Amino acid sequence: MRVENNDVLDYLLELGANKTRNKDKNSSFDEILNLSLKKATNESKISNSVDEFRRKLTELGAYGYLTQLNADKIEQKIQQRKEELEELLGINDPSKTQTQKNELTKVMDTMLSEYRKELNAALTSSTLLEKQKRLAGTSSSSVNLNSVLSELGIL
């Protein structure tokens, strides 16, 4: 039999090294059992997250998963920017009238729309650069941005 749970083994070794025999056997067993239960709970949380990752990956495919991951990152950045702008513009300030709040909200929406465009453009350009580097590495001929764009069907 092979011992897989190092935490229990470490606990038992520590218990034997300290020669603490004044504890009763039930409390030692309870401590070992609690330690094992904590470890099993942590392992099940990891297992659940791995299963969720596997499910999403098989459902969306590799490209779809990365696209979804990038979209989630963009939405997270936009939400952070929205909170910053709300605070900066004072949209939640009770001393402002409703028309002022509406105008500030329109300005904020315009700024967020531009920010979304910038993030999408940055993502697209980084993807194109990666594609160009990959093509340059596999091909001995000269690869430029026009050939990459034409391959992607953008030109």
Side-chain angles (χ1 to χ4, degrees):
M1 182 172 123
R2 184 174 168 204
V3 176
E4 299 263 341
N5 194 341
N6 291 334
D7 294 334
V8 173
L9 186 60
D10 291 342
Y11 177 78
L12 290 174
L13 288 173
E14 181 182 323
L15 188 64
N18 291 336
K19 306 272 186 198
T20 54
R21 302 286 185 219
N22 55 358
K23 290 185 178 181
D24 60 329
K25 292 179 183 179
N26 289 338
S27 67
S28 296
F29 178 75
D30 289 341
E31 289 175 15
I32 294 171
L33 183 62
N34 288 333
L35 186 63
S36 296
L37 288 175
K38 286 179 186 176
K39 183 168 179 74
T41 304
N42 289 340
E43 288 175 356
S44 98
K45 288 178 185 176
I46 292 171
S47 176
N48 289 340
S49 64
V50 169
D51 289 340
E52 179 66 20
F53 168 74
R54 185 181 312 138
R55 184 189 64 75
K56 284 183 179 179
L57 189 61
T58 56
E59 180 181 303
L60 300 173
Y63 182 76
Y65 181 79
L66 286 176
T67 303
Q68 182 65 39
L69 188 65
N70 288 333
D72 291 344
K73 286 180 183 179
I74 288 174
E75 287 303 318
Q76 184 181 25
K77 287 183 178 186
I78 289 174
Q79 185 62 32
Q80 288 174 347
R81 178 64 61 98
K82 181 179 180 179
E83 291 171 3
E84 292 171 3
L85 288 174
E86 284 177 349
E87 184 179 321
L88 182 66
L89 297 173
I91 292 177
N92 297 329
D93 188 10
S95 65
K96 296 191 190 265
T97 64
Q98 189 61 35
T99 54
Q100 289 175 331
K101 288 181 181 181
N102 289 341
E103 290 298 319
L104 289 173
T105 302
K106 287 179 185 177
V107 170
M108 182 182 70
D109 289 342
T110 304
M111 294 172 80
L112 289 175
S113 174
E114 290 298 319
Y115 185 59
R116 181 184 304 274
K117 288 177 186 176
E118 289 175 15
L119 290 175
N120 284 328
L123 178 65
T124 303
S125 67
S126 69
T127 303
L128 288 174
L129 287 174
E130 288 174 7
K131 179 87 171 173
Q132 185 177 14
K133 285 180 184 176
R134 188 167 26 104
L135 287 174
T138 60
S139 160
S140 62
S141 66
S142 174
V143 177
N144 58 19
L145 186 58
N146 288 333
S147 65
V148 173
L149 291 174
S150 65
E151 181 178 320
L152 293 173
I154 297 174
L155 280 178

